[in-house]
């Protein structure tokens, strides 16, 4: 912004100032720049030169952590693959700091229901209620999801693995204003999702809505995808409409019911 067009900050109404700030953040501004320019040629030399390692092999070993740190996806992959069970995976995700969403979230939303259930549902990301409670699908869409699966005898509360449900999301942290997750956010969380599925060992996956379909199947267009069995992570996978969409478009519940019956038939086949 040039000096001529800069607003008189003293005269600025605080609400206008806040609205301008929100607008800039929505445009993608993520760093505050100082009022006065910094002459970086005048700054003292940054960090002392790294001491070369004694042997090339030691040097290579030292470089691995820094290489991983500069590649959030590689670091996520390394952390996820080290997790031997779901508790370790949750811990690894809680300690993963590359996803900016973590900073604005109240809770890590990992999963709900019974690990080991025959059916694992993968949603998009926590909303406000999920962020508050720390469990997936607990708001209005979650209540509809529960009713849908109850209709075919499955429940996240069931102690019996035969009739249990296991639920997670692509992202464990709530995106601000429930915006769609960015490509980068999804790419860095996918290794955790893939490991999550491998450790939970469901027989069948249900992906709810466009975002998880894009992330797990590499395809969007849920209207065409829904109801058509496909495969991902070595498992049969049924894409379905997201319950939040069904709340907005109740006419589509008929399609969702048909998909649920299909799922029921698959489990009984
Ligand atoms: N929508 C989702 O996709 N996941 C949730 O946990 C809640 C709403």
């Amino acid at each position: 912004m040039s000096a001529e067009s800069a607003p008189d900050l003293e005269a600025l109404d605080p609400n206008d100032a806040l609205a301008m700030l929100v607008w800039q953040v929505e445009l993608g501004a993520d760093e505050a720049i100082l009022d006065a320019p910094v002459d970086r040629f005048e700054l003292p030399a940054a960090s002392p030169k790294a001491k070369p390692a004694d042997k090339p092999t030691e040097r290579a070993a030292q470089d691995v952590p820094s290489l991983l740190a500069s590649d959030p996806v590689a670091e996520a992959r390394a952390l996820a693959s080290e997790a031997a069970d779901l508790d370790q995976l949750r811990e690894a995700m809680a300690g993963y700091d590359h996803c900016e969403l973590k900073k604005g979230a109240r809770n890590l939303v990992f999963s709900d229901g019974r690990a080991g259930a025959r059916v694992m549902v993968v949603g998009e990301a926590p909303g406000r209620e999920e962020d508050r409670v720390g469990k997936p699908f607990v708001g209005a869409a979650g209540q509809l999801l529960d009713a849908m699966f109850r209709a075919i005898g499955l429940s996240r509360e069931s102690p019996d693995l035969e009739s249990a449900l296991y639920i997670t999301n692509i992202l464990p942290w709530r995106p601000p204003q429930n915006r769609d997750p960015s490509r980068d956010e999804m790419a860095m969380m996918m290794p955790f999702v893939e490991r999550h599925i491998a450790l939970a060992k469901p027989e069948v996956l249900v992906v709810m809505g466009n975002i998880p379909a894009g992330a797990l199947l590499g395809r969007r267009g849920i209207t065409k995808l829904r109801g058509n069995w496909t495969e991902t992570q070595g498992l049969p996978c049924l894409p379905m409409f997201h319950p939040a969409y069904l709340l907005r478009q109740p006419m589509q519940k008929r399609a969702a019911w048909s998909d649920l019956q299909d799922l029921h038939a698959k489990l009984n086949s």
Side-chain angles (χ1 to χ4, degrees):
M1 191 181 282
S2 71
E4 290 81 19
S5 63
D8 175 0
L9 293 179
E10 297 288 306
L12 202 58
D13 176 271
N15 289 325
D16 289 344
L18 184 61
M20 285 167 67
L21 187 61
V22 170
W23 180 66
Q24 289 184 31
V25 171
E26 280 172 359
L27 287 179
D30 58 3
E31 196 176 352
I33 307 290
L34 299 173
D35 287 344
V38 177
D39 183 350
R40 295 191 188 275
F41 291 105
E42 291 298 316
L43 293 175
S47 49
K49 284 231 164 70
K51 225 174 99 204
D54 297 340
K55 296 186 218 140
T57 45
E58 274 175 33
R59 169 113 188 238
Q62 282 173 357
D63 284 348
V64 170
S66 61
L67 276 177
L68 286 181
S70 65
D71 182 345
V73 178
E75 188 178 336
R77 215 176 284 128
L79 285 171
S81 68
E82 278 165 19
D85 57 33
L86 290 167
D87 286 342
Q88 287 184 14
L89 185 67
R90 182 203 284 262
E91 244 177 71
M93 288 164 74
Y96 181 75
D97 286 330
H98 292 289
C99 184
E100 289 292 306
L101 297 176
K102 180 178 175 184
K103 293 186 188 149
R106 290 203 214 175
N107 275 303
L108 170 98
V109 176
F110 183 71
S111 71
D112 198 19
R114 288 283 313 273
R118 297 180 72 194
V119 179
M120 179 167 179
V121 172
V122 184
E124 178 180 327
R128 194 165 45 136
E129 276 305 288
E130 290 78 18
D131 180 46
R132 194 177 63 76
V133 175
K135 288 185 180 174
F137 283 103
V138 292
Q143 283 164 26
L144 177 56
L145 179 141
D146 284 339
M148 286 162 64
F149 283 93
R150 215 179 297 121
I152 57 162
L154 301 180
S155 159
R156 65 171 109 187
E157 261 115 44
S158 171
D160 175 10
L161 285 179
E162 273 293 304
S163 53
L165 204 57
Y166 187 60
I167 307 174
T168 191
N169 282 311
I170 296 291
L171 290 184
W173 296 292
R174 181 192 182 200
Q177 278 90 45
N178 297 344
R179 64 156 170 77
D180 282 355
S182 71
R183 264 171 202 271
D184 285 353
E185 286 158 358
M186 289 203 281
M188 65 178 87
M189 297 318 292
M190 276 314 286
F192 295 110
V193 176
E194 288 168 5
R195 188 77 185 132
H196 202 156
I197 294 169
L199 291 169
K201 297 193 182 74
E203 271 175 46
V204 166
L205 286 173
V206 174
V207 295
M208 305 216 88
N210 256 326
I211 300 285
L216 277 163
L217 309 177
R219 277 178 291 161
R220 289 211 179 192
I222 195 68
T223 307
K224 287 234 171 83
L225 292 173
R226 64 137 280 274
N228 295 303
W229 285 95
T230 178
E231 217 186 274
T232 184
Q233 311 299 304
L235 295 169
C237 173
L238 182 66
M240 286 185 62
F241 282 135
H242 193 286
Y245 172 74
L246 296 174
L247 287 173
R248 295 192 303 272
Q249 303 287 336
M251 291 292 283
Q252 300 288 4
K253 285 185 182 173
R254 183 193 291 260
W257 176 235
S258 150
D259 299 346
L260 287 166
Q261 284 178 314
D262 228 29
L263 173 63
H264 189 231
K266 177 102 173 165
L267 294 172
N268 290 326
S269 65

